[in-house]
Amino acid sequence: MLVPGFRFQPIDEAEVAIELATLAQSAPAGTAPELGGPEIREATDLARTYLAATGKRRTLIPMKVPGATYRAYRAGGNLTPTRAVGTRTFADYLTG
């Protein structure tokens, strides 16, 4: 299983919907604030959690993805630790 070498901040879709509904009902305020889930995790950790939850066995192969976008991901540009929203973790999602 190929796994990119960066971190993610998964967020539950229902928690995103609540945030979007709140924004939609608010007065115009310019750019909406970023949001991410309650925890930041390495992609390899997310993959291991997924495999354990599904009972699958795969060899994890770290993958370094080239390019400016993925360089930004490796630097944490896709994360928003100061704007963690919600409480449902990736493990919670996998269990139901």
Side-chain angles (χ1 to χ4, degrees), residues 1 47-58 94:
M1 178 181 210
R48 281 189 195 102
T49 302
Y50 166 77
L51 292 172
T54 59
K56 296 181 180 180
R57 293 174 46 113
R58 302 283 188 276
L94 291 174

Side-chain angles (χ1 to χ4, degrees), residues 22-30:
T22 300
L23 286 170
Q25 295 173 359
S26 301

Side-chain angles (χ1 to χ4, degrees), residues 5-92:
F6 46 83
R7 298 168 294 155
F8 290 95
Q9 192 173 354
I11 184 168
D12 182 71
E13 67 274 6
E15 293 170 341
V16 171
I18 290 167
E19 288 291 316
L20 289 175
T22 300
L23 286 170
Q25 295 173 359
S26 301
T31 304
E34 295 181 350
L35 63 136
E39 59 184 3
I40 296 172
R41 300 196 31 202
E42 295 286 337
T44 53
D45 186 38
L46 292 172
R48 281 189 195 102
T49 302
Y50 166 77
L51 292 172
T54 59
K56 296 181 180 180
R57 293 174 46 113
R58 302 283 188 276
T59 300
L60 298 182
I61 302 169
M63 179 179 77
K64 185 171 181 181
V65 183
T69 299
Y70 292 100
R71 188 172 25 259
Y73 271 65
R74 286 190 301 274
N78 61 318
L79 307 173
T80 180
T82 60
R83 185 77 168 101
V85 173
T87 59
R88 192 168 185 215
T89 66
F90 184 66
D92 293 339

